[in-house]
Amino acid sequence: MRDVAVIGIGQSAFGKFPWRTAADLGADAVRAAFSDCGISPKAIEVAYCARAFDASCTAQDVLKEVGIRGIEMINVENACAGGATSLRGLWKEIADGRHDVGIAVGVESMTTSPIAGKLIPPEKSDIEGHLGLTMPAMFGMVARRQMAQGARIEDFAQVSVKNHHNGCLNPQAQYKKEFSVEDVLQSRMICDPITLLMCCPNTDGAAAVILCSMDVAKRYTTQPIRIMASALCSADYKYTQEDICLSPVGQKVATMAYEMAGVEPKDIDLVEMHDAFANEEILRYEDLMLCEPGEGIRLLRSGATALGGRIPVNPSGGLLALGHPLSASGIRTVCEIVLHLRGQAGARQVPGATVGLAQMLGGLVSNLEHGTVAGVHILAR
Amino acid sequence: MDNRTPLKKGLFDEKDGGRLHGNQCATCKRVYFPPAPFCYDCLGREMEEIILSRRGKLYSYTIGRMPSTHFEPPYALGLIDLPEGVRVFAPLIMTEDERYRIGMEMELMIDELWQEEDQHIVAYRFKPVS
Ligand SMILES: [Zn+2]
Protein backbone atom coordinates (compact mmCIF):
# COMPACT_ATOMS: atom_id res chain seq x y z
CA MET A 1 0.00 0.00 0.00
CA ARG A 2 1.34 3.44 -0.92
CA ASP A 3 1.34 6.58 1.19
CA VAL A 4 -1.31 9.06 0.06
CA ALA A 5 -1.17 12.83 0.56
CA VAL A 6 -3.66 15.66 0.52
CA ILE A 7 -2.21 18.41 -1.68
CA GLY A 8 -5.19 20.65 -2.35
CA ILE A 9 -8.27 21.68 -0.36
CA GLY A 10 -11.20 23.92 -1.24
CA GLN A 11 -14.60 24.97 0.05
CA SER A 12 -17.50 26.91 -1.37
CA ALA A 13 -19.31 29.44 0.77
CA PHE A 14 -21.63 27.71 3.28
CA GLY A 15 -25.11 29.22 3.64
CA LYS A 16 -28.65 29.22 2.28
CA PHE A 17 -28.45 29.65 -1.51
CA PRO A 18 -31.61 28.18 -3.02
CA TRP A 19 -30.85 29.97 -6.32
CA ARG A 20 -27.53 28.14 -6.75
CA THR A 21 -27.23 24.64 -8.24
CA ALA A 22 -25.20 21.85 -6.71
CA ALA A 23 -22.92 21.94 -9.77
CA ASP A 24 -22.30 25.63 -9.17
CA LEU A 25 -21.45 25.14 -5.47
CA GLY A 26 -19.33 22.08 -6.21
CA ALA A 27 -17.39 23.95 -8.89
CA ASP A 28 -16.51 26.71 -6.41
CA ALA A 29 -15.01 24.13 -4.06
CA VAL A 30 -13.15 22.37 -6.87
CA ARG A 31 -11.71 25.64 -8.27
CA ALA A 32 -10.55 26.57 -4.75
CA ALA A 33 -8.82 23.18 -4.40
CA PHE A 34 -7.00 23.64 -7.73
CA SER A 35 -5.84 27.13 -6.88
CA ASP A 36 -4.73 25.87 -3.45
CA CYS A 37 -2.24 23.40 -4.98
CA GLY A 38 -1.65 24.91 -8.40
CA ILE A 39 -2.05 21.71 -10.40
CA SER A 40 -3.94 21.54 -13.68
CA PRO A 41 -7.38 19.91 -13.88
CA LYS A 42 -5.79 17.82 -16.65
CA ALA A 43 -3.72 15.99 -14.01
CA ILE A 44 -6.87 14.43 -12.45
CA GLU A 45 -7.18 10.73 -13.27
CA VAL A 46 -10.18 9.72 -11.17
CA ALA A 47 -12.97 11.49 -9.25
CA TYR A 48 -15.35 10.62 -6.41
CA CYS A 49 -18.34 12.74 -5.52
CA ALA A 50 -20.83 12.45 -2.65
CA ARG A 51 -24.35 13.84 -2.64
CA ALA A 52 -27.46 12.62 -0.83
CA PHE A 53 -30.42 14.51 -2.28
CA ASP A 54 -31.52 14.68 -5.93
CA ALA A 55 -28.24 13.13 -7.03
CA SER A 56 -27.73 12.20 -10.67
CA CYS A 57 -24.21 12.18 -12.11
CA THR A 58 -23.20 14.99 -9.75
CA ALA A 59 -19.45 14.37 -10.23
CA GLN A 60 -19.82 14.86 -13.99
CA ASP A 61 -22.05 17.88 -13.48
CA VAL A 62 -19.59 19.57 -11.10
CA LEU A 63 -16.35 18.69 -12.86
CA LYS A 64 -17.48 19.77 -16.35
CA GLU A 65 -17.46 23.29 -14.87
CA VAL A 66 -13.66 23.14 -14.55
CA GLY A 67 -12.84 21.24 -17.74
CA ILE A 68 -12.61 17.73 -16.31
CA ARG A 69 -14.27 15.05 -18.44
CA GLY A 70 -13.56 11.68 -19.97
CA ILE A 71 -12.16 10.05 -16.82
CA GLU A 72 -13.59 7.52 -14.36
CA MET A 73 -16.06 9.25 -11.99
CA ILE A 74 -17.84 7.57 -9.09
CA ASN A 75 -20.89 9.07 -7.36
CA VAL A 76 -21.72 7.96 -3.80
CA GLU A 77 -24.40 8.49 -1.14
CA ASN A 78 -23.84 7.54 2.51
CA ALA A 79 -25.92 10.01 4.59
CA CYS A 80 -23.72 12.28 6.73
CA ALA A 81 -20.71 10.08 6.00
CA GLY A 82 -21.02 10.56 2.22
CA GLY A 83 -18.06 12.93 2.07
CA ALA A 84 -15.91 10.59 4.17
CA THR A 85 -16.96 7.75 1.85
CA SER A 86 -15.93 9.64 -1.26
CA LEU A 87 -12.58 10.54 0.29
CA ARG A 88 -11.97 6.94 1.29
CA GLY A 89 -12.90 5.69 -2.19
CA LEU A 90 -10.30 7.98 -3.71
CA TRP A 91 -7.74 7.12 -1.05
CA LYS A 92 -8.11 3.41 -1.91
CA GLU A 93 -7.56 4.03 -5.64
CA ILE A 94 -4.29 5.82 -4.94
CA ALA A 95 -3.08 3.68 -2.02
CA ASP A 96 -3.62 0.58 -4.17
CA GLY A 97 -1.58 2.06 -7.00
CA ARG A 98 -4.41 2.20 -9.52
CA HIS A 99 -4.09 5.97 -9.97
CA ASP A 100 -1.66 8.71 -8.92
CA VAL A 101 -3.85 11.83 -8.70
CA GLY A 102 -7.56 12.30 -8.05
CA ILE A 103 -10.22 14.54 -6.56
CA ALA A 104 -12.93 13.86 -3.95
CA VAL A 105 -15.90 16.18 -3.73
CA GLY A 106 -18.87 16.46 -1.37
CA VAL A 107 -21.78 18.70 -2.28
CA GLU A 108 -25.29 19.30 -1.01
CA SER A 109 -28.00 21.80 -1.70
CA MET A 110 -30.18 21.38 1.38
CA THR A 111 -32.42 24.36 0.61
CA THR A 112 -33.56 22.80 -2.68
CA SER A 113 -33.73 19.23 -1.33
CA PRO A 114 -37.02 17.48 -0.57
CA ILE A 115 -36.41 18.02 3.18
CA ALA A 116 -36.03 21.81 2.91
CA GLY A 117 -38.27 23.47 5.47
CA LYS A 118 -40.45 20.42 5.96
CA LEU A 119 -40.43 16.83 7.04
CA ILE A 120 -40.47 14.18 4.34
CA PRO A 121 -43.30 11.73 4.94
CA PRO A 122 -41.78 8.48 6.23
CA GLU A 123 -41.79 5.39 4.00
CA LYS A 124 -44.89 3.25 4.41
CA SER A 125 -42.78 0.54 6.08
CA ASP A 126 -41.13 2.99 8.49
CA ILE A 127 -43.43 2.43 11.46
CA GLU A 128 -41.27 4.45 13.86
CA GLY A 129 -41.17 7.39 11.45
CA HIS A 130 -44.97 7.44 11.34
CA LEU A 131 -45.07 7.27 15.14
CA GLY A 132 -42.98 10.45 15.36
CA LEU A 133 -39.35 9.36 15.40
CA THR A 134 -37.09 12.03 13.90
CA MET A 135 -33.40 12.85 14.42
CA PRO A 136 -34.15 15.63 16.95
CA ALA A 137 -36.52 13.28 18.81
CA MET A 138 -33.81 10.62 18.97
CA PHE A 139 -31.26 13.11 20.27
CA GLY A 140 -33.81 14.44 22.75
CA MET A 141 -34.15 10.93 24.16
CA VAL A 142 -30.35 10.51 24.11
CA ALA A 143 -30.03 13.80 26.03
CA ARG A 144 -32.45 12.56 28.72
CA ARG A 145 -30.24 9.49 29.19
CA GLN A 146 -27.13 11.70 29.44
CA MET A 147 -28.87 13.83 32.06
CA ALA A 148 -29.73 10.71 34.06
CA GLN A 149 -25.96 10.04 34.12
CA GLY A 150 -25.02 13.48 35.43
CA ALA A 151 -25.09 15.79 32.41
CA ARG A 152 -26.84 19.12 32.82
CA ILE A 153 -28.72 20.94 30.11
CA GLU A 154 -26.14 23.73 30.50
CA ASP A 155 -23.46 21.27 29.35
CA PHE A 156 -25.25 20.77 26.03
CA ALA A 157 -25.61 24.53 25.71
CA GLN A 158 -21.89 24.93 26.43
CA VAL A 159 -20.99 22.81 23.36
CA SER A 160 -23.07 25.17 21.21
CA VAL A 161 -21.47 28.23 22.87
CA LYS A 162 -17.98 26.77 22.24
CA ASN A 163 -18.60 25.87 18.60
CA HIS A 164 -20.32 29.16 17.78
CA HIS A 165 -17.37 30.96 19.36
CA ASN A 166 -14.99 29.00 17.12
CA GLY A 167 -17.21 29.80 14.14
CA CYS A 168 -16.70 33.52 14.78
CA LEU A 169 -13.00 32.95 14.05
CA ASN A 170 -13.74 31.13 10.76
CA PRO A 171 -14.41 33.35 7.74
CA GLN A 172 -16.30 30.44 6.14
CA ALA A 173 -18.83 29.89 8.95
CA GLN A 174 -22.49 30.47 8.13
CA TYR A 175 -23.23 31.87 11.58
CA LYS A 176 -20.61 34.22 12.98
CA LYS A 177 -22.30 35.13 16.20
CA GLU A 178 -21.38 34.55 19.84
CA PHE A 179 -24.12 33.03 22.01
CA SER A 180 -24.30 32.65 25.77
CA VAL A 181 -25.51 29.54 27.59
CA GLU A 182 -28.66 31.54 28.37
CA ASP A 183 -29.19 32.36 24.68
CA VAL A 184 -28.93 28.69 23.76
CA LEU A 185 -31.30 27.57 26.52
CA GLN A 186 -33.83 30.26 25.68
CA SER A 187 -33.91 29.55 21.95
CA ARG A 188 -36.99 27.70 20.69
CA MET A 189 -37.52 24.21 22.12
CA ILE A 190 -37.40 21.56 19.37
CA CYS A 191 -37.48 18.19 21.16
CA ASP A 192 -37.15 18.53 24.89
CA PRO A 193 -34.39 19.30 26.07
CA ILE A 194 -32.91 20.04 22.61
CA THR A 195 -33.32 23.70 21.65
CA LEU A 196 -32.90 25.30 18.24
CA LEU A 197 -29.35 26.51 18.95
CA MET A 198 -28.35 22.95 19.86
CA CYS A 199 -29.25 21.77 16.31
CA CYS A 200 -27.13 22.27 13.20
CA PRO A 201 -28.85 24.39 10.56
CA ASN A 202 -29.80 23.31 7.04
CA THR A 203 -27.08 24.63 4.79
CA ASP A 204 -25.88 24.51 1.19
CA GLY A 205 -22.22 24.01 0.47
CA ALA A 206 -19.45 21.96 -1.05
CA ALA A 207 -15.90 20.92 -0.30
CA ALA A 208 -13.17 19.22 -2.30
CA VAL A 209 -9.77 17.64 -1.71
CA ILE A 210 -7.09 16.66 -4.21
CA LEU A 211 -5.11 13.56 -3.28
CA CYS A 212 -2.05 12.00 -4.83
CA SER A 213 0.56 9.41 -4.04
CA MET A 214 3.29 10.74 -1.73
CA ASP A 215 5.94 10.42 -4.49
CA VAL A 216 3.89 12.58 -6.84
CA ALA A 217 2.93 15.01 -4.04
CA LYS A 218 6.53 16.09 -3.65
CA ARG A 219 6.46 17.44 -7.21
CA TYR A 220 3.63 19.80 -6.35
CA THR A 221 4.12 20.86 -2.75
CA THR A 222 6.65 21.10 0.03
CA GLN A 223 3.84 20.58 2.55
CA PRO A 224 2.02 17.33 1.72
CA ILE A 225 -0.38 16.18 4.45
CA ARG A 226 -0.28 12.41 4.87
CA ILE A 227 -3.43 10.32 5.32
CA MET A 228 -2.41 7.98 8.13
CA ALA A 229 -5.73 6.17 8.39
CA SER A 230 -8.96 5.83 6.47
CA ALA A 231 -11.72 3.78 8.08
CA LEU A 232 -15.39 3.35 7.27
CA CYS A 233 -17.95 0.88 8.54
CA SER A 234 -21.70 0.34 8.73
CA ALA A 235 -23.69 -0.40 11.85
CA ASP A 236 -25.20 -3.52 13.31
CA TYR A 237 -28.88 -4.18 14.02
CA LYS A 238 -30.50 -1.94 16.57
CA TYR A 239 -30.77 -4.56 19.31
CA THR A 240 -26.99 -4.40 19.73
CA GLN A 241 -27.16 -0.71 20.76
CA GLU A 242 -28.06 -1.35 24.39
CA ASP A 243 -27.09 2.15 25.47
CA ILE A 244 -28.35 4.74 22.97
CA CYS A 245 -25.63 7.11 24.15
CA LEU A 246 -22.92 4.85 22.73
CA SER A 247 -22.24 4.22 19.08
CA PRO A 248 -20.86 0.69 18.65
CA VAL A 249 -20.01 1.41 15.02
CA GLY A 250 -18.41 4.74 15.97
CA GLN A 251 -16.18 2.98 18.50
CA LYS A 252 -15.30 0.24 16.04
CA VAL A 253 -14.27 2.70 13.32
CA ALA A 254 -12.25 4.78 15.78
CA THR A 255 -10.37 1.67 16.90
CA MET A 256 -9.72 0.65 13.28
CA ALA A 257 -8.38 4.12 12.48
CA TYR A 258 -6.07 4.37 15.50
CA GLU A 259 -4.64 0.93 14.73
CA MET A 260 -4.10 1.75 11.09
CA ALA A 261 -2.44 5.08 11.89
CA GLY A 262 -0.33 3.55 14.66
CA VAL A 263 -1.26 6.39 16.99
CA GLU A 264 -3.16 6.61 20.24
CA PRO A 265 -5.98 9.00 21.09
CA LYS A 266 -3.55 11.03 23.25
CA ASP A 267 -1.44 11.72 20.12
CA ILE A 268 -4.30 13.59 18.39
CA ASP A 269 -3.93 17.39 18.43
CA LEU A 270 -7.37 18.34 17.11
CA VAL A 271 -10.65 16.74 16.08
CA GLU A 272 -13.35 17.74 13.62
CA MET A 273 -16.54 15.77 14.13
CA HIS A 274 -20.25 15.35 13.54
CA ASP A 275 -21.91 17.70 16.06
CA ALA A 276 -25.34 17.69 14.38
CA PHE A 277 -26.74 18.11 17.90
CA ALA A 278 -24.80 19.76 20.71
CA ASN A 279 -25.23 16.82 23.09
CA GLU A 280 -23.91 14.47 20.41
CA GLU A 281 -20.42 15.98 20.51
CA ILE A 282 -20.03 14.90 24.17
CA LEU A 283 -20.92 11.29 23.29
CA ARG A 284 -18.41 11.23 20.47
CA TYR A 285 -15.57 12.27 22.84
CA GLU A 286 -16.06 8.84 24.37
CA ASP A 287 -16.44 6.93 21.07
CA LEU A 288 -13.19 8.47 19.89
CA MET A 289 -11.55 7.65 23.25
CA LEU A 290 -10.53 11.26 23.85
CA CYS A 291 -11.41 10.47 27.47
CA GLU A 292 -12.29 7.41 29.55
CA PRO A 293 -15.82 5.98 29.15
CA GLY A 294 -18.29 8.09 31.12
CA GLU A 295 -15.90 11.05 31.33
CA GLY A 296 -17.23 13.05 28.34
CA ILE A 297 -18.99 15.65 30.45
CA ARG A 298 -15.93 16.10 32.62
CA LEU A 299 -13.76 16.54 29.52
CA LEU A 300 -16.10 19.26 28.23
CA ARG A 301 -16.28 21.05 31.59
CA SER A 302 -12.48 21.01 31.92
CA GLY A 303 -12.26 23.16 28.78
CA ALA A 304 -9.97 20.59 27.11
CA THR A 305 -12.04 20.58 23.90
CA ALA A 306 -12.15 24.37 23.53
CA LEU A 307 -9.55 26.26 21.49
CA GLY A 308 -6.48 26.52 23.71
CA GLY A 309 -7.39 23.27 25.47
CA ARG A 310 -5.61 19.91 25.38
CA ILE A 311 -7.64 18.53 22.46
CA PRO A 312 -9.70 21.18 20.63
CA VAL A 313 -12.84 19.71 19.03
CA ASN A 314 -14.50 21.42 16.07
CA PRO A 315 -12.18 24.45 15.91
CA SER A 316 -13.93 25.30 12.61
CA GLY A 317 -17.19 25.91 14.48
CA GLY A 318 -18.45 22.45 13.58
CA LEU A 319 -21.79 21.68 12.01
CA LEU A 320 -23.43 23.91 14.63
CA ALA A 321 -21.80 27.09 13.31
CA LEU A 322 -20.97 26.09 9.73
CA GLY A 323 -24.21 24.30 9.00
CA HIS A 324 -24.45 20.79 7.63
CA PRO A 325 -24.63 20.27 3.87
CA LEU A 326 -24.87 16.51 4.41
CA SER A 327 -22.39 15.09 1.91
CA ALA A 328 -20.05 18.10 2.01
CA SER A 329 -19.36 17.92 5.77
CA GLY A 330 -17.18 14.79 5.58
CA ILE A 331 -14.81 16.55 3.16
CA ARG A 332 -15.07 19.96 4.82
CA THR A 333 -13.86 18.50 8.14
CA VAL A 334 -10.78 17.10 6.39
CA CYS A 335 -10.08 20.50 4.80
CA GLU A 336 -10.15 22.03 8.28
CA ILE A 337 -7.68 19.47 9.66
CA VAL A 338 -5.35 20.14 6.72
CA LEU A 339 -5.43 23.91 7.36
CA HIS A 340 -4.32 23.37 10.97
CA LEU A 341 -1.60 20.88 10.03
CA ARG A 342 -0.23 23.39 7.53
CA GLY A 343 -0.44 26.21 10.09
CA GLN A 344 -2.89 28.15 7.88
CA ALA A 345 -5.96 28.22 10.14
CA GLY A 346 -5.59 31.87 11.13
CA ALA A 347 -7.21 33.05 14.35
CA ARG A 348 -8.46 29.56 15.22
CA GLN A 349 -5.13 27.79 14.57
CA VAL A 350 -4.32 24.96 16.98
CA PRO A 351 -0.66 25.80 17.68
CA GLY A 352 1.86 23.21 16.54
CA ALA A 353 -0.75 20.69 15.38
CA THR A 354 0.87 17.61 13.86
CA VAL A 355 -1.90 14.95 13.92
CA GLY A 356 -5.62 15.57 13.38
CA LEU A 357 -8.72 13.40 13.22
CA ALA A 358 -11.88 13.91 11.14
CA GLN A 359 -14.96 11.90 12.08
CA MET A 360 -18.44 11.55 10.55
CA LEU A 361 -21.39 9.51 11.76
CA GLY A 362 -24.90 9.49 10.40
CA GLY A 363 -27.97 7.86 8.99
CA LEU A 364 -31.22 6.79 10.61
CA VAL A 365 -32.37 3.44 9.17
CA SER A 366 -35.21 1.60 10.83
CA ASN A 367 -34.04 -1.52 12.68
CA LEU A 368 -30.35 -0.51 12.65
CA GLU A 369 -28.30 1.45 15.21
CA HIS A 370 -29.01 5.16 14.97
CA GLY A 371 -25.82 6.46 13.38
CA THR A 372 -25.84 3.84 10.65
CA VAL A 373 -22.47 4.60 9.11
CA ALA A 374 -19.25 5.96 10.61
CA GLY A 375 -16.05 7.19 9.00
CA VAL A 376 -12.74 8.33 10.51
CA HIS A 377 -9.67 9.78 8.80
CA ILE A 378 -6.42 10.57 10.60
CA LEU A 379 -4.01 13.00 8.97
CA ALA A 380 -0.50 14.17 9.84
CA ARG A 381 2.18 16.52 8.63
CA MET B 1 -69.20 1.14 9.34
CA ASP B 2 -65.73 0.29 10.59
CA ASN B 3 -63.38 3.08 9.73
CA ARG B 4 -60.55 2.00 12.04
CA THR B 5 -57.37 0.91 10.23
CA PRO B 6 -54.36 -0.54 12.04
CA LEU B 7 -51.06 1.22 11.30
CA LYS B 8 -49.75 -2.21 10.31
CA LYS B 9 -51.34 -5.64 10.42
CA GLY B 10 -49.82 -8.26 12.70
CA LEU B 11 -48.14 -5.83 15.13
CA PHE B 12 -50.79 -5.68 17.83
CA ASP B 13 -54.36 -6.61 18.77
CA GLU B 14 -56.91 -5.07 21.11
CA LYS B 15 -57.47 -8.05 23.44
CA ASP B 16 -57.02 -7.51 27.19
CA GLY B 17 -56.50 -3.76 26.78
CA GLY B 18 -54.02 -4.24 23.92
CA ARG B 19 -51.19 -6.61 23.17
CA LEU B 20 -48.03 -6.29 21.08
CA HIS B 21 -47.05 -9.21 18.87
CA GLY B 22 -43.37 -10.07 18.71
CA ASN B 23 -41.50 -13.18 17.71
CA GLN B 24 -38.67 -15.24 19.03
CA CYS B 25 -35.92 -17.25 17.41
CA ALA B 26 -36.43 -20.94 18.16
CA THR B 27 -32.66 -21.47 18.05
CA CYS B 28 -31.08 -18.63 20.04
CA LYS B 29 -34.23 -17.29 21.78
CA ARG B 30 -33.68 -13.65 20.75
CA VAL B 31 -36.95 -11.70 20.83
CA TYR B 32 -37.97 -9.19 18.16
CA PHE B 33 -40.51 -6.40 17.91
CA PRO B 34 -41.67 -5.75 15.23
CA PRO B 35 -41.54 -9.46 14.37
CA ALA B 36 -38.44 -10.33 12.32
CA PRO B 37 -38.71 -12.44 9.14
CA PHE B 38 -35.72 -14.50 10.33
CA CYS B 39 -33.28 -14.19 13.23
CA TYR B 40 -30.92 -11.31 12.47
CA ASP B 41 -28.54 -12.64 15.11
CA CYS B 42 -28.05 -16.33 14.24
CA LEU B 43 -29.86 -16.28 10.85
CA GLY B 44 -32.18 -19.02 12.16
CA ARG B 45 -35.33 -19.40 10.03
CA GLU B 46 -37.61 -20.90 12.66
CA MET B 47 -39.44 -18.07 14.42
CA GLU B 48 -42.19 -18.43 17.03
CA GLU B 49 -44.84 -15.78 17.61
CA ILE B 50 -45.04 -14.41 21.13
CA ILE B 51 -47.27 -11.91 22.92
CA LEU B 52 -45.17 -9.27 24.68
CA SER B 53 -45.77 -7.99 28.22
CA ARG B 54 -48.13 -5.04 28.45
CA ARG B 55 -45.92 -3.31 31.01
CA GLY B 56 -42.37 -2.09 30.84
CA LYS B 57 -39.97 0.58 32.05
CA LEU B 58 -39.45 3.97 30.43
CA TYR B 59 -35.88 3.94 29.03
CA SER B 60 -36.03 7.52 27.77
CA TYR B 61 -38.46 10.14 26.49
CA THR B 62 -38.78 13.53 24.84
CA ILE B 63 -41.52 16.08 24.29
CA GLY B 64 -41.84 17.09 20.63
CA ARG B 65 -42.25 20.86 20.24
CA MET B 66 -42.40 20.96 16.46
CA PRO B 67 -44.93 19.14 14.28
CA SER B 68 -44.10 15.60 13.17
CA THR B 69 -45.77 13.87 10.22
CA HIS B 70 -48.93 13.09 12.20
CA PHE B 71 -48.68 14.92 15.53
CA GLU B 72 -49.13 18.57 16.45
CA PRO B 73 -46.97 19.76 19.37
CA PRO B 74 -46.69 19.16 22.17
CA TYR B 75 -46.53 15.37 21.97
CA ALA B 76 -44.60 12.86 24.05
CA LEU B 77 -42.42 10.07 22.67
CA GLY B 78 -40.50 7.38 24.45
CA LEU B 79 -38.54 4.16 24.44
CA ILE B 80 -39.95 1.43 26.64
CA ASP B 81 -37.96 -1.62 27.76
CA LEU B 82 -40.15 -4.71 27.99
CA PRO B 83 -39.21 -7.68 30.21
CA GLU B 84 -38.71 -9.88 27.12
CA GLY B 85 -35.61 -7.82 26.29
CA VAL B 86 -37.00 -5.61 23.54
CA ARG B 87 -37.05 -1.82 23.44
CA VAL B 88 -40.13 -0.32 21.81
CA PHE B 89 -40.31 3.20 20.40
CA ALA B 90 -43.83 4.59 20.88
CA PRO B 91 -45.82 7.75 21.44
CA LEU B 92 -46.74 8.37 25.09
CA ILE B 93 -49.92 9.99 26.31
CA MET B 94 -49.56 13.74 26.75
CA THR B 95 -51.25 15.28 29.73
CA GLU B 96 -50.77 18.61 31.44
CA ASP B 97 -49.62 17.18 34.75
CA GLU B 98 -47.70 14.14 33.53
CA ARG B 99 -44.02 14.41 34.31
CA TYR B 100 -42.09 11.58 32.71
CA ARG B 101 -39.10 10.06 34.46
CA ILE B 102 -36.63 7.44 33.29
CA GLY B 103 -37.42 4.08 34.90
CA MET B 104 -41.14 4.82 35.30
CA GLU B 105 -43.51 1.86 34.99
CA MET B 106 -45.45 2.16 31.73
CA GLU B 107 -48.46 0.36 30.33
CA LEU B 108 -49.56 -0.32 26.76
CA MET B 109 -52.74 1.07 25.25
CA ILE B 110 -54.19 0.81 21.75
CA ASP B 111 -55.62 4.04 20.45
CA GLU B 112 -56.69 6.00 17.41
CA LEU B 113 -53.60 8.15 16.89
CA TRP B 114 -54.44 10.15 13.79
CA GLN B 115 -56.81 10.36 10.85
CA GLU B 116 -56.11 9.78 7.16
CA GLU B 117 -59.04 10.83 4.98
CA ASP B 118 -62.02 9.01 6.56
CA GLN B 119 -59.86 6.41 8.33
CA HIS B 120 -58.81 6.50 11.97
CA ILE B 121 -55.31 5.02 12.16
CA VAL B 122 -55.03 2.74 15.16
CA ALA B 123 -51.66 2.01 16.79
CA TYR B 124 -50.01 1.52 20.16
CA ARG B 125 -48.85 3.99 22.73
CA PHE B 126 -47.89 3.91 26.38
CA LYS B 127 -49.14 5.62 29.52
CA PRO B 128 -47.78 5.66 33.06
CA VAL B 129 -49.14 2.88 35.26
CA SER B 130 -51.68 4.58 37.50
ZN1 LIG C 1 -31.42 -16.68 16.57
Side-chain angles (χ1 to χ4, degrees):
Chain A
M1 210 164 60
R2 303 193 297 173
D3 270 349
V4 178
V6 181
I7 59 165
I9 55 172
Q11 284 172 241
S12 72
F14 274 41
K16 294 189 196 301
F17 315 117
W19 60 90
R20 297 191 66 184
T21 64
D24 186 23
L25 289 165
D28 274 3
V30 169
R31 274 189 290 267
F34 281 114
S35 63
D36 179 55
C37 60
I39 75 169
S40 162
K42 290 200 186 305
I44 299 296
E45 300 164 19
V46 60
Y48 276 73
C49 181
R51 185 180 180 190
F53 297 111
D54 286 336
S56 178
C57 289
T58 304
Q60 293 86 336
D61 201 11
V62 168
L63 295 172
K64 75 175 195 307
E65 300 294 318
V66 297
I68 300 176
R69 76 292 197 184
I71 59 166
E72 184 176 352
M73 298 185 187
I74 299 103
N75 289 290
V76 301
E77 178 277 314
N78 225 353
C80 307
T85 306
S86 114
L87 177 67
R88 178 168 160 77
L90 178 60
W91 171 83
K92 284 194 283 191
E93 301 271 358
I94 297 171
D96 291 351
R98 194 173 295 273
H99 291 287
D100 286 328
V101 187
I103 189 163
V105 185
V107 57
E108 211 74 66
S109 171
M110 300 297 286
T111 58
T112 63
S113 77
I115 66 159
K118 59 177 190 288
L119 289 159
I120 14 174
E123 299 280 333
K124 195 110 189 109
S125 62
D126 180 9
I127 301 290
E128 295 185 331
H130 280 281
L131 292 176
L133 188 61
T134 56
M135 276 288 187
M138 177 53 84
F139 279 93
M141 293 190 290
V142 167
R144 285 284 166 209
R145 293 295 304 180
Q146 290 172 281
M147 290 169 77
Q149 293 158 24
R152 291 169 308 162
I153 190 166
E154 290 80 7
D155 294 316
F156 309 147
Q158 182 56 40
V159 172
S160 179
V161 169
K162 169 178 79 71
N163 292 356
H164 280 100
H165 168 76
N166 296 352
C168 290
L169 305 174
N170 182 352
Q172 269 158 316
Q174 179 180 1
Y175 293 102
K176 283 189 273 292
K177 191 170 186 311
E178 297 275 1
F179 292 102
S180 67
V181 165
E182 279 304 297
D183 294 334
V184 176
L185 295 181
Q186 281 166 15
S187 64
R188 187 157 60 91
M189 190 60 81
I190 302 293
C191 275
D192 214 280
I194 304 296
T195 65
L196 184 66
L197 286 173
M198 295 182 200
C199 305
C200 67
N202 271 346
T203 297
D204 306 326
V209 291
I210 296 170
L211 304 189
C212 61
S213 63
M214 191 54 87
D215 299 343
V216 173
K218 286 171 182 156
R219 271 190 247 150
Y220 293 113
T221 176
T222 54
Q223 234 183 351
I225 300 300
R226 190 161 67 91
I227 299 180
M228 299 177 82
S230 171
L232 183 80
C233 195
S234 294
D236 202 335
Y237 288 100
K238 186 167 63 179
Y239 62 76
T240 60
Q241 196 169 21
E242 280 172 29
D243 180 348
I244 60 170
C245 296
L246 300 178
S247 167
V249 69
Q251 293 166 331
K252 180 175 166 183
V253 168
T255 304
M256 286 161 63
Y258 288 127
E259 276 176 15
M260 184 173 177
V263 299
E264 293 178 38
K266 68 171 172 52
D267 301 322
I268 304 292
D269 296 314
L270 76 154
V271 171
E272 279 282 312
M273 66 152 84
H274 186 263
D275 57 331
F277 298 93
N279 60 317
E280 185 185 6
E281 183 177 298
I282 303 167
L283 306 174
R284 305 292 91 92
Y285 296 163
E286 297 180 29
D287 294 348
L288 293 174
M289 295 167 264
L290 305 180
C291 60
E292 295 296 313
E295 296 288 311
I297 290 290
R298 194 195 297 228
L299 187 73
L300 173 79
R301 289 179 188 164
S302 75
T305 58
L307 279 173
R310 173 173 69 77
I311 171 73
V313 174
N314 287 323
S316 64
L319 309 183
L320 287 167
L322 278 148
H324 186 20
L326 240 58
S327 300
S329 293
I331 301 271
R332 198 272 306 152
T333 48
V334 169
C335 295
E336 179 73 12
I337 298 290
V338 169
L339 279 179
H340 287 269
L341 297 178
R342 287 176 178 171
Q344 295 173 345
R348 65 190 191 282
Q349 175 69 42
V350 174
T354 57
V355 184
L357 182 151
Q359 172 266 14
M360 274 289 136
L361 175 69
L364 187 61
V365 173
S366 94
N367 223 8
L368 297 177
E369 283 173 37
H370 76 86
T372 304
V373 51
V376 169
H377 286 89
I378 299 176
L379 299 102
R381 70 174 154 95
Chain B
M1 273 258 303
D2 187 14
N3 62 348
R4 286 161 57 88
T5 304
L7 175 60
K8 190 180 179 206
K9 286 200 171 60
L11 274 188
F12 58 89
D13 64 42
E14 298 194 54
K15 286 187 197 125
D16 308 329
R19 311 186 306 174
L20 296 180
H21 296 205
N23 66 1
Q24 182 168 33
C25 172
T27 312
C28 76
K29 304 298 176 197
R30 182 169 286 285
V31 178
Y32 293 93
F33 177 82
F38 62 93
C39 179
Y40 300 134
D41 211 15
C42 75
L43 305 184
R45 295 255 152 211
E46 197 187 331
M47 304 296 286
E48 292 157 353
E49 282 185 44
I50 58 168
I51 299 294
L52 299 171
S53 301
R54 297 190 65 250
R55 287 188 177 189
K57 280 194 166 22
L58 189 61
Y59 175 79
S60 195
Y61 65 96
T62 184
I63 310 295
R65 305 283 178 182
M66 54 184 277
S68 75
T69 309
H70 303 294
F71 305 136
E72 283 304 315
Y75 52 90
L77 305 168
L79 292 165
I80 296 93
D81 281 343
L82 299 182
E84 289 79 9
V86 290
R87 183 172 296 153
V88 179
F89 170 79
L92 311 177
I93 61 159
M94 188 74 199
T95 60
E96 285 300 316
D97 56 354
E98 195 50 66
R99 301 273 299 181
Y100 286 106
R101 293 182 315 278
I102 286 173
M104 234 173 154
E105 196 79 14
M106 303 293 287
E107 185 175 39
L108 178 73
M109 58 195 286
I110 304 295
D111 219 345
E112 294 172 5
L113 293 190
W114 66 86
Q115 227 176 318
E116 280 175 23
E117 293 167 359
D118 62 339
Q119 293 298 305
H120 293 278
I121 305 299
V122 177
Y124 45 90
R125 61 171 150 180
F126 281 81
K127 62 179 179 189
V129 171
S130 46

